[in-house]
Amino acid sequence: MVAKLCVDVAVSVPMRVRKRSKYEQALSLLNAAELAAKLQSSAPLQLAVLEQKAALALEQVQFAQTQAALDAMLALTNSPELEIWKARALALQGGYWRRKGDYAKSLEQHRQALALRKKLGDQFGMIESLNAVATLQRRAGDF
């Protein structure tokens, strides 16, 4: 029951929240879902919630909160069965560095995510990573 609630909350929070009050509401929901996931000792649920928190914070240009969520994600992804989440965290971290204006670090993170996604056979993830790498290289004039 609690696990289902965590998943429902994590996926129902919109990736783009424009108004500050909506951001605070979404963050409260995600904090509650994160606590419930920890109580369930479910790493995938915790990672889903942390991913949403990082994306939400990044959308709101809350760099400290974004980095904290990404650090927590990467700390949880040390087992082989969670490598897909590591790739997702690396891709999000690439977006973080792009938003901060460090295109070299962004490109490196996206390349790492791409390599991991290739290893795992995650075709959708590879498309996402290839698109990010191509966009960064195009912006740098590296055709």
Side-chain angles (χ1 to χ4, degrees):
M1 177 72 174
V2 175
K4 183 175 180 343
L5 174 66
C6 292
V7 171
D8 290 345
V9 169
V11 298
S12 69
V13 175
M15 291 294 282
R16 297 183 183 268
V17 178
R18 296 285 181 215
K19 295 184 179 175
R20 186 75 178 153
S21 62
K22 298 263 187 200
Y23 167 74
E24 297 297 335
Q25 291 171 357
L27 189 58
S28 294
L29 285 172
L30 287 170
N31 285 335
E34 183 178 18
L35 177 61
K38 284 181 183 176
L39 291 173
Q40 289 289 313
S41 298
S42 171
L45 286 176
Q46 289 178 45
L47 288 161
V49 172
L50 287 167
E51 180 182 41
Q52 290 294 314
K53 285 179 79 171
L56 182 64
L58 187 58
E59 177 65 30
Q60 295 295 313
V61 195
Q62 301 289 326
F63 291 130
Q65 290 89 340
T66 303
Q67 189 60 56
L70 289 170
D71 289 345
M73 277 185 81
L74 290 170
L76 286 172
T77 59
N78 54 3
S79 62
E81 65 270 7
L82 297 174
E83 282 188 319
I84 189 74
W85 287 101
K86 184 175 184 176
R88 292 172 74 148
L90 290 169
L92 256 174
Q93 202 161 43
Y96 166 83
W97 286 113
R98 184 187 54 78
R99 286 292 294 262
K100 287 193 82 167
D102 192 332
Y103 298 112
K105 281 187 182 177
S106 178
L107 187 57
E108 176 59 30
Q109 294 299 309
H110 283 298
R111 284 183 174 156
Q112 286 181 21
L114 177 59
L116 193 50
R117 286 168 161 172
K118 280 182 181 178
K119 174 185 161 193
L120 297 170
D122 176 14
Q123 291 185 339
F124 179 78
M126 286 188 289
I127 292 168
E128 182 182 78
S129 291
L130 283 168
N131 184 49
V133 168
T135 300
L136 286 164
Q137 288 181 323
R138 180 180 48 83
R139 287 184 180 171
D142 183 9
F143 301 106

